[in-house]
Amino acid sequence: MRLVVVLLAATTALAACGSGPASSGGPAGPVVVGTTPSLGNAGLYYAQSQGYFPQRGLQVEITPAQSGSVAIPLLLNGQMQFAATDPLSAMVAISQNIPISMIAPGNVGPADPDIDPGAILVRDGGPVRTPADLAGRTVGVNVLNGLSHVAAMQAIDALGGDSSASQYVEVPLPQMVEAAARGQVDAVVTNEPFVTTGLEAGLTRLATPFSKVLPDVPQIVYIATNSYIADNPDQVSAFRDSIQQANAYLAENPEESRIVGRTSTETPPEVLDQIRVPVFNAEPLTVADMQAIMDLMLRYRVIDQPLDVGTVVAGQGT
């Protein structure tokens, strides 16, 4: 699998450089958290802005990371202590013996499709009007065998289509709207703010995959290396508790995510005012959450053998 090859190659290269161990009893300065500028990480930025981390004795530095797969080698090398990624990608890495675990959730899939910030978008008035119309057509996803890809396949199947009859290609999120509008792909699986910009560009929602497939299941998780978790339990607890405090606030005050997005993303304010904001809840990360995702991974052959999901979530409930 391409993700695993990238991870292993990057990890080997970093180790060869002799850059140091993944953990040495805790960082001398702030702990570094790698994340993409996504509203799904609003809890992280809100916790930082409200001083939740220093209240628990933790200094946090947030740094950009192109993706979770790029961040994982930096975790292993000790250049980051925590990183945000989608849970499916994390479980793929764990299935290949990459020593990481999940410690806290970001946003979750909504139960109500009317507030789902994710969507499968197609051209309004185009040839695709139902999921069944995607047979023989091309669907753009940000990462092959990532969470959006697998959730979209399950939603297509659940809505009467045949996901195996479509071709899936990688399209960077910022390029998805243009690719669909120009007919370079027949559909795209994307999230806010790209859903709103897509609707403005003449696209329409075909389905809302996360509310259909994974309601209340995290779309983003925070990860750390197993050695860092073992050697730094206080820092891990402080980070987890701060994230969960922020998530609980955003669950009760969803509009706060728009305010957070003005500084945590490059989304124009006029777009932020229109988007469907991500959904948060006050629940910790659980083994049951990951079981739901692993079931999809097995169904769509992302992995060949089941994982012991009890080992992928550090210090959380069932």
Side-chain angles (χ1 to χ4, degrees), residues 56-171:
R56 294 178 169 89
L58 194 66
Q59 298 181 54
V60 165
E61 176 185 319
I62 301 174
T63 189
Q66 182 178 349
S67 67
S69 60
V70 171
I72 288 174
L74 300 178
L75 289 174
L76 296 170
N77 196 44
Q79 294 175 256
M80 290 179 182
Q81 283 69 52
F82 304 101
T85 187
D86 84 75
L88 192 147
S89 295
M91 291 177 73
V92 168
I94 292 168
S95 75
Q96 297 296 319
N97 299 317
I98 303 296
I100 59 171
S101 294
M102 308 178 204
I103 56 175
N107 68 307
V108 300
D112 182 356
D114 290 336
I115 62 171
D116 193 340
I120 302 174
L121 298 179
V122 299
R123 293 189 302 283
D124 193 14
V128 179
R129 302 191 178 188
T130 71
D133 295 331
L134 288 172
R137 298 187 181 276
T138 304
V139 180
V141 298
N142 65 322
V143 177
L144 291 174
N145 289 326
L147 184 61
S148 293
H149 180 189
V150 174
M153 287 193 292
Q154 169 68 352
I156 290 168
D157 291 338
L159 293 169
D162 179 3
S163 65
S164 67
S166 299
Q167 178 184 2
Y168 301 88
V169 297
E170 288 191 356
V171 180

Side-chain angles (χ1 to χ4, degrees), residues 220-302:
I220 288 176
V221 294
Y222 296 94
I223 58 175
T225 64
N226 294 341
S227 59
Y228 183 82
I229 293 168
D231 292 344
N232 302 276
D234 292 342
Q235 289 95 323
V236 172
S237 293
F239 182 80
R240 177 193 294 126
D241 293 347
S242 298
I243 292 293
Q244 290 183 186
Q245 181 181 359
N247 288 351
Y249 179 83
L250 294 175
E252 295 296 325
N253 302 274
E255 290 299 308
E256 187 71 29
S257 293
R258 298 188 201 276
I259 299 172
V260 173
R262 292 178 184 273
T263 54
S264 68
T265 75
E266 297 179 354
T267 305
E270 61 272 18
V271 176
L272 280 171
D273 289 342
Q274 300 178 59
I275 65 170
R276 294 180 177 182
V277 295
V279 175
F280 293 86
N281 64 31
E283 300 301 318
L285 194 62
T286 68
V287 171
D289 293 333
M290 296 305 102
Q291 183 68 51
I293 292 174
M294 191 185 72
D295 290 344
L296 285 181
M297 295 173 72
L298 290 168
R299 174 174 179 175
Y300 291 101
R301 299 181 180 178
V302 177

